[in-house]
Amino acid sequence: CHSSNHYGAAGYWAKMALDEGCIGLSFTNTSPFAVPTGGKTRAVGTNPFCFFAPAANDNFQLDMATTVVPVGKIEVLDRIGKPVPAGWGVDREGGNCTNAAEICKAGGLYPLGGSEETAGYKGYGLGMFVEIMSSVLSGAAIGPDVQSWTISRDGPVNYGHCFVVIDPARFSAGFDDRLGSYLDRMRN
């Protein structure tokens, strides 16, 4: 899917598959706000993805951004004039930053994992994975070419989305029971 202006809640799309007893994955690229590990310039969005899977008497639901935090958390701190916890964002030079206004206006977010010292390149790789699945695959705007999310922009933002549905019954019997057992073990 491409030529989109907004994706909505990632879980909405994955739950459609879950309600049918299937595994649901949904991905979207977003306007660049993440700075690549070791970089200075926004190049990737928060690029959320979602994975829901049905289990006996339960289900597994993962819905997350590929940045340390969503942009909204920084925007709230900027509005109320509070500092950002260290490790969430960078300034215009790519250095760790706790000033919300600087992060919002000229810096950016760390990818999931934070700086290079804390393996932020893994989160950056996840952001790239989502970008490839949602925008490169669909023909939408890619990474730095995605317009900023502002009121005054030049036409559609052209986000891309990807939706994958997998019927576990097509692979082997008992998926729901096995996943339910696994989830019980992880919780206890």
Side-chain angles (χ1 to χ4, degrees):
C1 175
H2 65 279
S3 299
S4 174
N5 276 322
H6 201 277
Y7 173 70
Y12 174 82
W13 307 105
K15 188 168 182 319
M16 291 172 70
L18 187 69
D19 289 345
E20 298 298 322
C22 292
I23 296 169
L25 296 96
S26 69
F27 311 86
T28 189
N29 71 328
T30 64
S31 298
F33 212 92
V35 175
T37 306
K40 296 180 182 180
T41 307
R42 296 175 184 177
V44 179
T46 59
N47 292 6
F49 71 92
C50 181
F51 174 86
F52 285 12
N57 303 316
D58 201 356
N59 56 64
F60 177 81
Q61 297 184 5
L62 173 66
D63 187 342
M64 60 181 273
T66 58
T67 50
V68 171
V69 294
V71 174
K73 287 189 180 272
I74 307 294
E75 292 171 334
V76 167
L77 292 171
D78 183 29
R79 277 187 232 123
I80 62 176
K82 293 206 172 184
V84 172
W88 283 15
V90 299
D91 61 20
R92 66 188 78 222
E93 296 300 319
N96 194 42
C97 183
T98 59
N99 182 312
E102 171 69 10
I103 294 168
C104 285
K105 291 177 181 63
L109 294 174
Y110 274 116
L112 189 63
S115 66
E116 186 171 359
E117 292 79 23
T118 55
Y121 53 86
K122 293 179 181 183
Y124 175 52
L126 281 174
M128 296 283 296
F129 163 70
V130 172
E131 195 77 41
I132 293 164
M133 292 297 291
S134 59
S135 61
V136 177
L137 190 61
S138 72
I142 301 168
D145 297 329
V146 179
Q147 294 182 58
S148 294
W149 180 253
T150 60
I151 293 171
S152 58
R153 57 183 180 265
D154 301 327
V157 180
N158 195 15
Y159 291 144
H161 316 309
C162 178
F163 308 98
V164 178
V165 176
I166 301 169
D167 181 356
R170 302 264 181 188
F171 291 83
S172 65
F175 175 86
D176 292 9
D177 291 332
R178 286 194 316 280
L179 180 55
S181 176
Y182 176 56
L183 293 175
D184 285 344
R185 289 183 70 194
M186 293 298 102
R187 290 185 180 123
N188 296 314

